[in-house]
Protein backbone atom coordinates (compact mmCIF):
# COMPACT_ATOMS: atom_id res chain seq x y z
CA UNK A 1 0.00 0.00 0.00
CA UNK A 2 1.44 3.33 -1.04
CA UNK A 3 -0.09 5.38 1.75
CA UNK A 4 -1.17 4.43 5.28
CA UNK A 5 -3.36 6.99 6.91
CA UNK A 6 -3.97 5.89 10.46
CA UNK A 7 -5.35 9.29 11.47
CA UNK A 8 -8.54 8.33 9.71
CA UNK A 9 -11.20 5.74 10.59
CA UNK A 10 -10.68 4.14 7.16
CA UNK A 11 -8.14 4.31 4.37
CA UNK A 12 -11.00 4.19 1.87
CA UNK A 13 -14.71 4.88 2.11
CA UNK A 14 -16.70 3.81 -0.94
CA UNK A 15 -20.18 5.18 -1.59
CA UNK A 16 -22.16 2.68 -3.63
CA UNK A 17 -21.81 -1.12 -3.72
CA UNK A 18 -22.38 -1.69 -7.42
CA UNK A 19 -19.96 -3.19 -9.94
CA UNK A 20 -17.33 -0.43 -9.66
CA UNK A 21 -17.65 0.11 -5.90
CA UNK A 22 -17.48 -3.57 -4.96
CA UNK A 23 -14.44 -4.20 -7.17
CA UNK A 24 -12.63 -1.14 -5.80
CA UNK A 25 -13.45 -2.12 -2.18
CA UNK A 26 -12.33 -5.71 -2.57
CA UNK A 27 -9.08 -4.89 -4.37
CA UNK A 28 -8.17 -2.03 -2.02
CA UNK A 29 -8.78 -4.31 0.98
CA UNK A 30 -6.63 -6.96 -0.70
CA UNK A 31 -3.83 -4.40 -0.86
CA UNK A 32 -4.15 -4.01 2.91
CA UNK A 33 -6.38 -0.92 3.09
CA UNK A 34 -9.03 -0.54 5.79
CA UNK A 35 -12.15 -0.21 3.66
CA UNK A 36 -15.82 0.55 4.28
CA UNK A 37 -18.62 0.74 1.75
CA UNK A 38 -22.09 2.25 2.08
CA UNK A 39 -25.05 1.10 0.02
CA UNK A 40 -28.50 2.61 0.43
CA UNK A 41 -30.40 0.02 -1.62
CA UNK A 42 -29.08 -3.46 -2.38
CA UNK A 43 -25.51 -4.73 -2.70
CA UNK A 44 -24.80 -5.49 -6.38
CA UNK A 45 -25.95 -2.22 -7.92
CA UNK A 46 -27.69 -1.71 -11.24
CA UNK A 47 -26.09 -4.64 -13.06
CA UNK A 48 -26.97 -7.33 -10.55
CA UNK A 49 -30.18 -5.96 -9.08
CA UNK A 50 -32.01 -4.19 -11.94
CA UNK A 51 -29.89 -4.32 -15.07
CA UNK A 52 -27.69 -6.75 -16.95
CA UNK A 53 -28.37 -9.86 -14.87
CA UNK A 54 -32.18 -9.86 -14.52
CA UNK A 55 -32.46 -8.48 -18.09
CA UNK A 56 -30.37 -11.34 -19.50
CA UNK A 57 -32.48 -13.87 -17.61
CA UNK A 58 -35.60 -12.35 -19.17
CA UNK A 59 -33.90 -12.54 -22.57
CA UNK A 60 -33.32 -16.27 -21.99
CA UNK A 61 -36.96 -16.63 -20.96
CA UNK A 62 -38.09 -14.79 -24.07
CA UNK A 63 -36.05 -17.01 -26.40
CA UNK A 64 -38.14 -20.02 -25.45
CA UNK A 65 -41.04 -18.52 -27.40
CA UNK A 66 -39.15 -18.93 -30.69
CA UNK A 67 -37.44 -22.15 -29.68
CA UNK A 68 -40.74 -23.79 -28.78
CA UNK A 69 -42.22 -22.74 -32.12
CA UNK A 70 -39.19 -23.93 -34.06
CA UNK A 71 -39.10 -27.22 -32.14
CA UNK A 72 -41.79 -28.77 -34.36
CA UNK A 73 -39.49 -28.88 -37.40
CA UNK A 74 -36.93 -30.70 -35.27
CA UNK A 75 -39.41 -33.39 -34.35
CA UNK A 76 -40.61 -32.13 -31.00
CA UNK A 77 -44.29 -32.05 -30.29
CA UNK A 78 -44.98 -29.46 -27.62
CA UNK A 79 -48.74 -29.68 -27.17
CA UNK A 80 -49.33 -26.79 -24.79
CA UNK A 81 -47.35 -23.55 -24.84
CA UNK A 82 -48.31 -21.12 -22.15
CA UNK A 83 -46.17 -18.37 -20.69
CA UNK A 84 -46.52 -17.53 -17.01
CA UNK A 85 -44.93 -14.14 -16.27
CA UNK A 86 -45.09 -14.37 -12.44
CA UNK A 87 -43.17 -17.67 -12.53
CA UNK A 88 -40.32 -16.19 -14.57
CA UNK A 89 -40.38 -12.88 -12.66
CA UNK A 90 -40.14 -14.64 -9.29
CA UNK A 91 -37.39 -17.03 -10.39
CA UNK A 92 -35.39 -14.09 -11.74
CA UNK A 93 -35.79 -12.23 -8.46
CA UNK A 94 -34.72 -15.31 -6.50
CA UNK A 95 -31.54 -15.49 -8.59
CA UNK A 96 -30.93 -11.77 -8.07
CA UNK A 97 -31.28 -12.29 -4.32
CA UNK A 98 -28.80 -15.16 -4.43
CA UNK A 99 -26.25 -13.01 -6.28
CA UNK A 100 -26.84 -10.10 -3.90
CA UNK A 101 -25.95 -12.47 -1.06
CA UNK A 102 -22.77 -13.56 -2.85
CA UNK A 103 -21.70 -9.94 -3.36
CA UNK A 104 -22.26 -9.27 0.34
CA UNK A 105 -20.20 -12.36 1.21
CA UNK A 106 -17.38 -11.21 -1.07
CA UNK A 107 -17.21 -7.90 0.77
CA UNK A 108 -17.28 -9.60 4.17
CA UNK A 109 -14.67 -12.20 3.29
CA UNK A 110 -12.36 -9.41 2.11
CA UNK A 111 -12.88 -7.62 5.44
CA UNK A 112 -14.73 -4.70 3.90
CA UNK A 113 -17.13 -3.17 6.42
CA UNK A 114 -20.56 -2.68 4.83
CA UNK A 115 -23.08 -0.04 5.92
CA UNK A 116 -26.51 -0.66 4.44
CA UNK A 117 -27.55 2.97 4.53
CA UNK A 118 -27.14 6.20 2.63
CA UNK A 119 -23.87 8.10 2.98
CA UNK A 120 -23.18 11.72 2.12
CA UNK A 121 -19.91 13.58 1.85
CA UNK A 122 -19.54 16.32 4.45
CA UNK A 123 -15.89 17.20 3.86
CA UNK A 124 -12.89 16.14 1.77
CA UNK A 125 -12.30 13.28 4.23
CA UNK A 126 -15.63 12.99 6.01
CA UNK A 127 -18.74 10.95 5.33
CA UNK A 128 -22.00 11.10 7.26
CA UNK A 129 -24.14 7.98 7.44
CA UNK A 130 -27.94 8.22 7.46
CA UNK A 131 -27.96 6.75 10.97
CA UNK A 132 -26.15 9.87 12.15
CA UNK A 133 -22.59 8.64 12.54
CA UNK A 134 -19.77 10.57 10.87
CA UNK A 135 -16.65 8.68 9.79
CA UNK A 136 -13.38 9.85 8.33
CA UNK A 137 -11.41 8.36 5.46
CA UNK A 138 -8.14 9.17 3.74
CA UNK A 139 -9.86 8.64 0.43
CA UNK A 140 -13.48 8.66 -0.64
CA UNK A 141 -14.70 6.89 -3.78
CA UNK A 142 -18.00 7.89 -5.38
CA UNK A 143 -19.46 4.86 -7.14
CA UNK A 144 -23.15 5.74 -6.99
CA UNK A 145 -24.00 4.83 -10.59
CA UNK A 146 -26.85 6.28 -12.58
CA UNK A 147 -30.62 6.04 -12.73
CA UNK A 148 -33.21 6.25 -15.48
CA UNK A 149 -33.85 9.75 -16.76
CA UNK A 150 -37.51 10.76 -16.88
CA UNK A 151 -38.45 13.77 -19.01
CA UNK A 152 -40.83 16.44 -17.83
CA UNK A 153 -44.10 15.10 -19.30
CA UNK A 154 -47.51 15.58 -17.72
CA UNK A 155 -48.60 12.27 -16.19
CA UNK A 156 -45.06 10.81 -16.19
CA UNK A 157 -45.86 9.26 -12.79
CA UNK A 158 -47.92 6.66 -14.69
CA UNK A 159 -44.83 5.51 -16.59
CA UNK A 160 -42.37 2.85 -15.48
CA UNK A 161 -38.62 2.60 -16.04
CA UNK A 162 -36.14 -0.27 -16.14
CA UNK A 163 -36.23 -0.17 -12.32
CA UNK A 164 -39.87 -1.24 -12.12
CA UNK A 165 -40.15 -3.40 -15.21
CA UNK A 166 -38.75 -6.49 -13.46
CA UNK A 167 -41.50 -6.38 -10.85
CA UNK A 168 -44.66 -5.97 -12.94
CA UNK A 169 -47.65 -7.62 -11.34
CA UNK A 170 -48.94 -8.88 -14.66
CA UNK A 171 -47.75 -8.98 -18.23
CA UNK A 172 -49.08 -5.95 -20.16
CA UNK A 173 -51.18 -6.86 -23.21
CA UNK A 174 -49.98 -3.65 -24.89
CA UNK A 175 -46.80 -1.89 -23.92
CA UNK A 176 -45.40 1.33 -25.32
CA UNK A 177 -41.64 1.65 -24.97
CA UNK A 178 -40.17 5.13 -25.25
CA UNK A 179 -36.61 5.52 -26.57
CA UNK A 180 -34.61 3.83 -29.29
CA UNK A 181 -31.51 2.82 -27.36
CA UNK A 182 -30.25 -0.28 -25.59
CA UNK A 183 -33.00 -0.69 -23.04
CA UNK A 184 -35.85 0.11 -25.43
CA UNK A 185 -34.74 -2.45 -28.02
CA UNK A 186 -33.93 -5.13 -25.47
CA UNK A 187 -37.33 -4.86 -23.77
CA UNK A 188 -39.15 -4.53 -27.11
CA UNK A 189 -37.77 -7.98 -27.96
CA UNK A 190 -38.49 -9.41 -24.53
CA UNK A 191 -42.12 -8.27 -24.32
CA UNK A 192 -42.82 -9.17 -27.93
CA UNK A 193 -41.65 -12.74 -27.33
CA UNK A 194 -43.81 -12.94 -24.21
CA UNK A 195 -46.83 -12.08 -26.35
CA UNK A 196 -47.37 -8.40 -25.55
CA UNK A 197 -48.09 -5.99 -28.36
CA UNK A 198 -45.10 -3.66 -28.42
CA UNK A 199 -44.93 -0.13 -29.83
CA UNK A 200 -41.56 1.60 -29.69
CA UNK A 201 -41.71 5.40 -29.81
CA UNK A 202 -38.57 7.45 -30.40
CA UNK A 203 -37.96 11.17 -30.70
CA UNK A 204 -35.65 10.74 -33.73
CA UNK A 205 -35.97 8.66 -36.90
CA UNK A 206 -33.44 6.06 -35.84
CA UNK A 207 -32.71 3.32 -33.33
CA UNK A 208 -29.43 2.57 -31.57
CA UNK A 209 -27.59 5.74 -32.53
CA UNK A 210 -23.86 5.00 -32.57
CA UNK A 211 -24.19 1.41 -33.80
CA UNK A 212 -23.25 0.48 -37.36
CA UNK A 213 -26.04 1.54 -39.71
CA UNK A 214 -26.39 -1.86 -41.40
CA UNK A 215 -26.94 -3.55 -38.03
CA UNK A 216 -29.52 -0.98 -36.98
CA UNK A 217 -31.37 -1.34 -40.31
CA UNK A 218 -31.35 -5.12 -40.03
CA UNK A 219 -32.72 -5.07 -36.46
CA UNK A 220 -35.44 -2.64 -37.51
CA UNK A 221 -36.38 -4.83 -40.50
CA UNK A 222 -36.53 -7.99 -38.38
CA UNK A 223 -38.43 -6.28 -35.56
CA UNK A 224 -41.02 -4.89 -38.00
CA UNK A 225 -41.40 -8.31 -39.60
CA UNK A 226 -42.01 -9.84 -36.16
CA UNK A 227 -44.82 -7.35 -35.55
CA UNK A 228 -43.24 -4.71 -33.32
CA UNK A 229 -44.61 -1.25 -34.19
CA UNK A 230 -42.30 1.76 -34.45
CA UNK A 231 -43.27 5.44 -34.22
CA UNK A 232 -40.44 7.77 -35.13
CA UNK A 233 -40.07 11.53 -34.72
CA UNK A 234 -42.71 11.41 -32.01
CA UNK A 235 -42.78 12.99 -28.60
CA UNK A 236 -45.06 12.80 -25.60
CA UNK A 237 -47.38 15.60 -24.66
CA UNK A 238 -49.19 13.86 -21.78
CA UNK A 239 -50.10 10.55 -20.20
CA UNK A 240 -53.53 9.97 -18.66
CA UNK A 241 -54.66 7.01 -16.63
CA UNK A 242 -58.27 6.06 -17.19
CA UNK A 243 -60.52 4.64 -14.49
CA UNK A 244 -60.10 1.11 -15.85
CA UNK A 245 -56.32 1.47 -15.43
CA UNK A 246 -55.66 1.85 -19.15
CA UNK A 247 -53.16 4.53 -20.19
CA UNK A 248 -53.95 7.11 -22.84
CA UNK A 249 -50.79 8.53 -24.41
CA UNK A 250 -51.09 11.85 -26.21
CA UNK A 251 -48.26 12.26 -28.69
CA UNK A 252 -46.97 14.88 -31.08
CA UNK A 253 -45.80 13.49 -34.40
CA UNK A 254 -48.08 10.43 -34.42
CA UNK A 255 -51.58 9.33 -33.40
CA UNK A 256 -52.36 8.91 -29.72
CA UNK A 257 -51.82 5.45 -28.28
CA UNK A 258 -53.45 3.32 -25.61
CA UNK A 259 -51.52 0.85 -23.51
CA UNK A 260 -51.48 -1.12 -20.28
CA UNK A 261 -47.94 0.07 -19.55
CA UNK A 262 -45.52 2.70 -20.79
CA UNK A 263 -41.80 2.13 -20.23
CA UNK A 264 -39.46 5.11 -20.54
CA UNK A 265 -35.91 4.21 -21.60
CA UNK A 266 -34.48 7.53 -22.70
CA UNK A 267 -31.04 7.45 -21.13
CA UNK A 268 -29.63 7.47 -17.62
CA UNK A 269 -28.56 10.26 -15.27
CA UNK A 270 -25.59 10.15 -12.89
CA UNK A 271 -26.62 9.75 -9.23
CA UNK A 272 -25.12 12.89 -7.72
CA UNK A 273 -28.01 14.65 -6.02
CA UNK A 274 -27.85 15.08 -2.27
CA UNK A 275 -24.40 13.49 -2.03
CA UNK A 276 -22.77 16.64 -0.66
CA UNK A 277 -20.66 17.09 -3.78
CA UNK A 278 -21.31 20.81 -4.11
CA UNK A 279 -20.49 21.38 -0.44
CA UNK A 280 -17.28 19.37 -0.83
CA UNK A 281 -16.40 21.42 -3.93
CA UNK A 282 -16.42 18.47 -6.38
CA UNK A 283 -16.77 19.64 -10.00
CA UNK A 284 -19.56 18.24 -12.13
CA UNK A 285 -19.75 18.18 -15.92
CA UNK A 286 -22.54 19.42 -18.18
CA UNK A 287 -24.45 16.13 -17.99
CA UNK A 288 -24.28 16.17 -14.20
CA UNK A 289 -21.46 13.63 -14.18
CA UNK A 290 -18.59 13.68 -11.67
CA UNK A 291 -15.55 14.94 -13.56
CA UNK A 292 -12.41 12.86 -13.06
CA UNK A 293 -8.94 12.61 -14.56
CA UNK A 294 -7.35 9.49 -16.03
CA UNK A 295 -6.60 8.25 -12.51
CA UNK A 296 -10.30 8.61 -11.53
CA UNK A 297 -9.49 11.59 -9.26
CA UNK A 298 -11.87 14.55 -8.97
CA UNK A 299 -10.67 18.13 -8.50
CA UNK A 300 -10.70 17.42 -4.73
CA UNK A 301 -7.51 15.37 -4.22
CA UNK A 302 -8.99 12.94 -1.66
CA UNK A 303 -12.19 12.25 -3.62
CA UNK A 304 -12.39 9.85 -6.58
CA UNK A 305 -15.17 8.44 -8.76
CA UNK A 306 -15.67 5.40 -11.00
CA UNK A 307 -18.46 3.87 -13.05
CA UNK A 308 -21.67 5.31 -14.47
CA UNK A 309 -21.60 8.35 -12.17
CA UNK A 310 -18.65 9.58 -14.29
CA UNK A 311 -20.59 8.94 -17.54
CA UNK A 312 -17.61 7.76 -19.56
CA UNK A 313 -18.78 4.42 -20.99
CA UNK A 314 -21.87 3.22 -19.09
CA UNK A 315 -21.03 -0.49 -19.10
CA UNK A 316 -20.46 -2.86 -16.18
CA UNK A 317 -17.09 -4.27 -17.33
CA UNK A 318 -15.83 -0.71 -17.76
CA UNK A 319 -16.91 0.26 -14.22
CA UNK A 320 -15.19 -2.87 -12.91
CA UNK A 321 -11.96 -1.95 -14.70
CA UNK A 322 -12.17 1.59 -13.38
CA UNK A 323 -12.70 0.29 -9.82
CA UNK A 324 -9.77 -2.09 -10.18
CA UNK A 325 -7.51 0.61 -11.69
CA UNK A 326 -8.42 3.04 -8.91
CA UNK A 327 -7.68 0.52 -6.16
CA UNK A 328 -4.42 -0.67 -7.73
CA UNK A 329 -3.25 2.91 -8.29
CA UNK A 330 -4.10 4.20 -4.83
CA UNK A 331 -3.33 1.16 -2.70
CA UNK A 332 -1.09 -1.07 -4.81
CA UNK A 333 2.59 -0.65 -5.46
CA UNK A 334 2.67 -0.56 -9.26
CA UNK A 335 2.08 3.16 -9.89
CA UNK A 336 -0.77 4.66 -11.88
CA UNK A 337 -2.97 2.15 -13.70
CA UNK A 338 -5.12 3.66 -16.46
CA UNK A 339 -8.13 2.05 -18.09
CA UNK A 340 -7.81 1.51 -21.82
CA UNK A 341 -11.10 2.61 -23.41
CA UNK A 342 -10.08 1.58 -26.91
CA UNK A 343 -11.97 -1.31 -28.53
CA UNK A 344 -14.52 -1.90 -25.78
CA UNK A 345 -16.90 -4.56 -27.12
CA UNK A 346 -20.59 -3.94 -26.60
CA UNK A 347 -23.86 -5.70 -27.32
CA UNK A 348 -27.57 -5.10 -27.43
CA UNK A 349 -29.52 -8.13 -26.25
CA UNK A 350 -32.33 -7.52 -28.69
CA UNK A 351 -34.02 -10.34 -30.66
CA UNK A 352 -31.74 -11.11 -32.44
CA UNK A 353 -28.84 -9.52 -30.57
CA UNK A 354 -26.30 -7.08 -32.01
CA UNK A 355 -22.63 -7.12 -31.00
CA UNK A 356 -19.87 -4.71 -31.99
CA UNK A 357 -16.27 -3.82 -31.41
CA UNK A 358 -14.15 -1.05 -32.89
CA UNK A 359 -15.22 1.49 -35.47
CA UNK A 360 -18.47 1.48 -37.40
CA UNK A 361 -18.16 1.68 -41.17
CA UNK A 362 -19.05 5.38 -41.25
CA UNK A 363 -16.72 6.29 -38.35
CA UNK A 364 -13.92 4.35 -40.02
CA UNK A 365 -14.46 6.19 -43.32
CA UNK A 366 -14.35 9.51 -41.48
CA UNK A 367 -11.19 8.59 -39.61
CA UNK A 368 -9.22 6.60 -42.18
CA UNK A 369 -10.59 7.80 -45.53
CA UNK A 370 -10.36 4.54 -47.40
CA UNK A 371 -11.65 1.39 -45.79
CA UNK A 372 -12.59 -2.01 -47.12
CA UNK A 373 -15.81 -3.55 -45.92
CA UNK A 374 -16.57 -7.27 -46.01
CA UNK A 375 -20.03 -8.59 -45.23
CA UNK A 376 -21.70 -11.91 -44.84
CA UNK A 377 -25.48 -11.93 -45.06
CA UNK A 378 -26.78 -15.39 -44.26
CA UNK A 379 -29.52 -17.43 -42.65
CA UNK A 380 -28.39 -19.47 -39.68
CA UNK A 381 -28.72 -23.20 -40.41
CA UNK A 382 -31.18 -23.63 -37.55
CA UNK A 383 -33.36 -20.81 -38.88
CA UNK A 384 -33.40 -22.35 -42.37
CA UNK A 385 -34.73 -25.66 -41.11
CA UNK A 386 -37.17 -23.97 -38.76
CA UNK A 387 -38.50 -21.95 -41.69
CA UNK A 388 -37.60 -18.76 -39.85
CA UNK A 389 -36.90 -16.13 -42.46
CA UNK A 390 -34.46 -14.14 -40.36
CA UNK A 391 -31.08 -13.26 -41.81
CA UNK A 392 -27.89 -12.60 -39.86
CA UNK A 393 -25.40 -9.97 -40.97
CA UNK A 394 -21.69 -9.83 -40.13
CA UNK A 395 -19.42 -7.00 -41.17
CA UNK A 396 -15.66 -6.57 -41.04
CA UNK A 397 -14.29 -3.04 -41.42
CA UNK A 398 -10.68 -3.02 -42.59
CA UNK A 399 -8.28 -0.07 -42.83
CA UNK A 400 -7.05 -0.26 -46.41
CA UNK A 401 -3.59 1.12 -45.68
CA UNK A 402 -2.62 -1.13 -42.76
CA UNK A 403 -5.02 -3.99 -43.64
CA UNK A 404 -5.93 -4.17 -39.96
CA UNK A 405 -9.46 -5.16 -38.98
CA UNK A 406 -10.68 -2.07 -37.15
CA UNK A 407 -14.30 -2.99 -36.58
CA UNK A 408 -16.53 -6.05 -36.36
CA UNK A 409 -20.30 -5.74 -36.29
CA UNK A 410 -22.71 -8.62 -36.05
CA UNK A 411 -26.43 -9.22 -35.76
CA UNK A 412 -27.67 -12.75 -35.40
CA UNK A 413 -28.16 -15.57 -32.90
CA UNK A 414 -25.52 -15.60 -30.16
CA UNK A 415 -23.58 -12.74 -31.74
CA UNK A 416 -22.41 -11.36 -28.34
CA UNK A 417 -21.01 -14.80 -27.45
CA UNK A 418 -19.11 -14.91 -30.73
CA UNK A 419 -17.93 -11.32 -30.70
CA UNK A 420 -16.11 -11.54 -27.37
CA UNK A 421 -13.50 -13.86 -28.92
CA UNK A 422 -13.33 -11.89 -32.17
CA UNK A 423 -12.79 -8.68 -30.17
CA UNK A 424 -9.41 -10.07 -29.07
CA UNK A 425 -8.28 -10.05 -32.70
CA UNK A 426 -9.38 -6.44 -33.21
CA UNK A 427 -7.76 -5.35 -29.94
CA UNK A 428 -4.58 -7.14 -30.94
CA UNK A 429 -4.53 -5.25 -34.26
CA UNK A 430 -4.73 -8.38 -36.42
CA UNK A 431 -5.07 -8.06 -40.18
CA UNK A 432 -7.68 -9.35 -42.56
CA UNK A 433 -5.04 -11.84 -43.76
CA UNK A 434 -4.90 -13.30 -40.22
CA UNK A 435 -8.63 -13.91 -40.35
CA UNK A 436 -8.26 -15.50 -43.81
CA UNK A 437 -5.42 -17.71 -42.58
CA UNK A 438 -7.60 -19.16 -39.82
CA UNK A 439 -9.36 -22.37 -40.83
CA UNK A 440 -13.14 -22.25 -40.46
CA UNK A 441 -14.79 -24.18 -37.65
CA UNK A 442 -17.61 -25.94 -39.46
CA UNK A 443 -20.58 -25.89 -39.22
CA UNK A 444 -20.96 -22.75 -37.12
CA UNK A 445 -22.20 -19.22 -37.63
CA UNK A 446 -18.91 -17.79 -36.42
CA UNK A 447 -17.00 -19.39 -39.32
CA UNK A 448 -18.43 -16.57 -41.46
CA UNK A 449 -15.85 -14.32 -39.78
CA UNK A 450 -12.99 -16.11 -41.53
CA UNK A 451 -14.76 -16.73 -44.84
CA UNK A 452 -15.49 -13.20 -46.02
CA UNK A 453 -14.07 -12.23 -49.41
P1 LIG B 1 -29.56 5.04 -24.65
O1 LIG B 1 -28.62 6.13 -24.44
O2 LIG B 1 -29.08 3.74 -25.20
O3 LIG B 1 -30.71 5.56 -25.63
C1 LIG B 1 -31.49 6.67 -25.29
C2 LIG B 1 -32.64 6.79 -26.26
O4 LIG B 1 -33.55 7.76 -25.74
C3 LIG B 1 -32.21 7.26 -27.63
O5 LIG B 1 -33.02 6.62 -28.59
C4 LIG B 1 -32.50 8.77 -27.59
O6 LIG B 1 -32.92 9.31 -28.82
C5 LIG B 1 -33.68 8.84 -26.64
N1 LIG B 1 -33.67 10.07 -25.84
C6 LIG B 1 -32.62 10.63 -25.22
N2 LIG B 1 -33.01 11.72 -24.53
C7 LIG B 1 -34.34 11.85 -24.72
C8 LIG B 1 -35.31 12.79 -24.28
N3 LIG B 1 -34.99 13.83 -23.53
N4 LIG B 1 -36.60 12.59 -24.66
C9 LIG B 1 -36.93 11.55 -25.45
N5 LIG B 1 -36.05 10.64 -25.92
C10 LIG B 1 -34.77 10.79 -25.55
O7 LIG B 1 -30.32 4.88 -23.27
P2 LIG B 1 -30.93 3.64 -22.48
O8 LIG B 1 -31.78 4.26 -21.44
O9 LIG B 1 -31.52 2.63 -23.38
O10 LIG B 1 -29.65 3.00 -21.78
C11 LIG B 1 -28.80 3.79 -20.96
C12 LIG B 1 -27.40 3.26 -20.98
O11 LIG B 1 -27.33 2.07 -20.22
C13 LIG B 1 -26.87 2.88 -22.35
O12 LIG B 1 -26.33 3.97 -23.04
C14 LIG B 1 -25.85 1.84 -22.02
O13 LIG B 1 -24.63 2.48 -21.76
C15 LIG B 1 -26.38 1.19 -20.78
N6 LIG B 1 -27.02 -0.10 -21.09
C16 LIG B 1 -26.26 -1.08 -21.65
C17 LIG B 1 -26.81 -2.29 -21.97
C18 LIG B 1 -25.97 -3.35 -22.61
O14 LIG B 1 -24.76 -3.25 -22.52
N7 LIG B 1 -26.55 -4.35 -23.27
C19 LIG B 1 -28.22 -2.59 -21.71
C20 LIG B 1 -28.93 -1.49 -21.13
C21 LIG B 1 -28.34 -0.29 -20.84
P3 LIG B 1 -31.99 9.46 -30.14
O15 LIG B 1 -32.49 8.42 -31.08
O16 LIG B 1 -32.25 10.83 -30.61
O17 LIG B 1 -30.58 9.23 -29.73
Amino acid sequence: MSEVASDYDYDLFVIGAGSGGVRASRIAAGHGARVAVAEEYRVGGTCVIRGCVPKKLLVYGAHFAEDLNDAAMFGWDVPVKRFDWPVLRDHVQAEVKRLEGLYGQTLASNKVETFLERATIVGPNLVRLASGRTVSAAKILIATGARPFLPDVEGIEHAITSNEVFHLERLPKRIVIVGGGYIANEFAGIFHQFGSHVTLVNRSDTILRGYDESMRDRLLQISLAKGIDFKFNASFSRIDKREDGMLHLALDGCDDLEADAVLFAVGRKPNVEGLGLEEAGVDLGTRGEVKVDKANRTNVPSIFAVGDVTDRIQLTPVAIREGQAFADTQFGSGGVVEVDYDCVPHAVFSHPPIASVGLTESDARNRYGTVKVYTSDFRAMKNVMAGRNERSLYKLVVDEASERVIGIHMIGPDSPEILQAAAIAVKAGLKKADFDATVALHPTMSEELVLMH
Side-chain angles (χ1 to χ4, degrees), residues 38-112:
E39 170 57 55
E40 66 176 337
Y41 185 53
R42 293 171 68 181
V43 172
T46 300
C47 178
V48 175
I49 306 295
R50 51 200 167 186
C52 331
V53 170
K55 179 275 308 288
K56 186 73 188 283
L57 292 171
L58 292 188
V59 168
Y60 281 129
H63 261 295
F64 281 96
E66 286 181 351
D67 291 344
L68 288 172
N69 279 337
D70 295 352
M73 285 303 285
F74 292 85
W76 292 90
D77 177 20
V78 186
V80 185
K81 284 175 282 187
R82 196 179 67 82
F83 174 64
D84 191 330
W85 161 252
V87 170
L88 175 60
R89 177 197 64 201
D90 295 349
H91 284 160
V92 168
Q93 288 310 312
E95 177 59 8
V96 166
K97 200 168 169 45
R98 187 184 72 83
L99 292 171
E100 180 187 3
L102 287 181
Y103 268 67
Q105 276 172 29
T106 298
L107 290 172
S109 62
N110 282 279
K111 301 198 168 40
V112 174

Side-chain angles (χ1 to χ4, degrees), residues 175-180 183-189 191 198-202 236 261-265:
I175 184 165
V176 169
I177 302 181
V178 191
I183 297 176
N185 282 284
E186 290 179 346
F187 277 98
F191 280 110
V198 177
T199 306
L200 192 146
V201 176
N202 197 22
F236 274 70
V262 57
L263 166 66
F264 270 74

Side-chain angles (χ1 to χ4, degrees), residues 203-220:
R203 64 173 179 183
S204 70
D205 62 355
T206 187
I207 57 168
L208 294 171
R209 190 186 296 282
Y211 271 84
D212 190 273
E213 220 166 285
S214 319
M215 306 297 130
R216 294 150 53 177
D217 286 351
R218 181 59 55 92
L219 179 63
L220 184 59

Side-chain angles (χ1 to χ4, degrees), residues 46 51-52 55 148-153 162 178-187 200-211 232 234-236 264-269 308 311-317 345-350 354:
T46 300
C52 331
K55 179 275 308 288
F149 160 69
L150 278 174
D152 193 13
V153 170
S162 54
V178 191
Y182 281 82
I183 297 176
N185 282 284
E186 290 179 346
F187 277 98
L200 192 146
V201 176
N202 197 22
R203 64 173 179 183
S204 70
D205 62 355
T206 187
I207 57 168
L208 294 171
R209 190 186 296 282
Y211 271 84
F232 289 120
S235 61
F236 274 70
F264 270 74
V266 291
R268 295 174 63 83
K269 273 176 69 167
D308 287 0
D311 200 11
R312 287 173 281 185
I313 301 181
Q314 291 189 1
L315 293 177
T316 295
H346 41 105
V348 186
F349 292 91
S350 42
I354 294 179

